Amino acid sequence: MAVVELHSHPVLVKYRASLCTRGTIFMIIVFILTVIPPLLIAYRSEGFWIREAFYREQPSVVFKHGILLVLGMRDGSYVTWSTYSNFNLLEQSHLIIPVVKTREEDVNRDGKSDKLHFNLEVPVSDSQDVVSVEMILVFDYKLNRFSTLHMESMAFIQRASFAAGAKFVAEGDLRLQLKQPLAHKGSDTRYNVAIIDENSVFVEDYTLSNIFSNYLSRNVSTYFDCKYPIWQTGRGAGQPFIITGSVSYPEELIIYIPGFWQTIKMGWIQYLSVLVIFVFLMEKVKMFVFENQVITTIIERPSASKNHAM
């Protein structure tokens, strides 16, 4: 008659020893060799602690209608204009009033502006040959996804040429520049201060070198990225010099310092992946040592009566 298996169960064999014996010391060593090496391997293999992480976010950018413009002439002179009244008073002898048109556009209708269009018509005389443009546009810049960053930022637009210009076209992006990663939470308003002090009555406070010196000392700033500026020549008699283009506000890849729980979560996963291997190996070592009585222990097996079917 064929025999079939009706039921099975493992037999639990216990290996006992006193507290101060070689068996106990062996188990302590096994525990240490199971827990500590995976930690060292995970740590030494780099990436155990996440020091930096990144995410994408489109900033909330608003043009503050702050402009500072300087046009350089072939003869070494210049004309200038700004939206800052004190600066215009200080530069009366070089002041020229352009026609300014700006418009912000929300392309995808998500409530955030995506682009600024600008157009300036500067009424320079026919005898003035424009060979360089330097212009600052001022923005209100915000990030909100993790830490809340709020600052005043700028785009510096420039171009110089040996040929007298009639029109300068600049199409580019307002890009974020980080010298240090952002925090993962909290509010950062360190740089929500005026880039150009409109209340100042000193000429040096409005010079580009002084403005840039203060601005570049920041850990967080923006810059204008224009890869293909266009300088057009051949200005007709009585025609203004035109500066036109756009500033886009693209999605940014932002680096930040992870919080405690994110760091622990990623570290635990790496530690556990190595720990599983060591647990498996050490179980094999313990099985060999105790089953072969390499270290003498008291073996406790189930009683025979429990192993026999009734």
Side-chain angles (χ1 to χ4, degrees), residues 199-253:
N199 297 316
S200 177
V201 294
F202 301 103
V203 176
E204 56 269 18
D205 290 336
Y206 297 97
T207 60
L208 296 181
S209 59
N210 186 66
I211 294 171
F212 295 154
S213 176
N214 294 329
Y215 189 67
L216 293 175
S217 65
R218 294 179 169 195
N219 291 325
V220 187
S221 59
T222 58
Y223 65 94
F224 182 64
D225 183 17
C226 178
K227 299 188 183 299
Y228 307 108
I230 300 173
W231 184 267
Q232 298 180 4
T233 59
R235 182 165 59 93
Q239 296 297 311
F241 180 79
I242 298 174
I243 306 169
T244 188
S246 65
V247 181
S248 298
Y249 315 142
E251 186 178 67
E252 293 286 353
L253 184 66

Side-chain angles (χ1 to χ4, degrees), residues 20 68 90 300:
C20 297
L68 193 153
L90 292 169
E300 181 180 308

Side-chain angles (χ1 to χ4, degrees), residues 5 10-11 36 47 50 67 77 81 86 89 122 129 137 151 161-162 194 205 211 221-222 230 236 240 248 257 263 298:
E5 182 179 320
V11 176
I36 301 301
I50 298 180
I67 303 175
S77 63
W81 172 82
N86 283 350
L89 289 173
V122 187
D129 293 332
L137 303 177
M151 68 176 179
S161 175
F162 292 107
D205 290 336
I211 294 171
S221 59
T222 58
I230 300 173
S248 298
I257 300 174
T263 302
I298 301 172

Side-chain angles (χ1 to χ4, degrees), residues 63 65-72 79-84 87 96 98-102 116-122 130 132-139 153-160 167-172 174 195-196 206-208 211-212 215 222-226 231 241-247:
F63 180 50
H65 300 282
I67 303 175
L68 193 153
L69 173 66
V70 179
L71 298 183
V79 294
T80 187
W81 172 82
S82 79
T83 54
Y84 306 101
F87 173 79
I96 192 167
V99 177
V100 181
K101 297 177 183 178
T102 62
L116 167 71
H117 299 275
F118 60 87
N119 187 86
L120 289 79
E121 297 181 2
V122 187
V130 181
S132 69
V133 175
E134 295 174 316
M135 183 171 67
I136 292 176
L137 303 177
V138 181
F139 300 88
S153 68
M154 74 174 186
F156 177 58
I157 302 172
Q158 66 170 339
R159 177 69 175 180
K167 185 178 182 179
F168 174 47
V169 182
E171 305 273 352
L174 185 70
I195 294 172
I196 301 174
Y206 297 97
T207 60
L208 296 181
I211 294 171
F212 295 154
Y215 189 67
T222 58
Y223 65 94
F224 182 64
D225 183 17
C226 178
W231 184 267
F241 180 79
I242 298 174
I243 306 169
T244 188
S246 65
V247 181

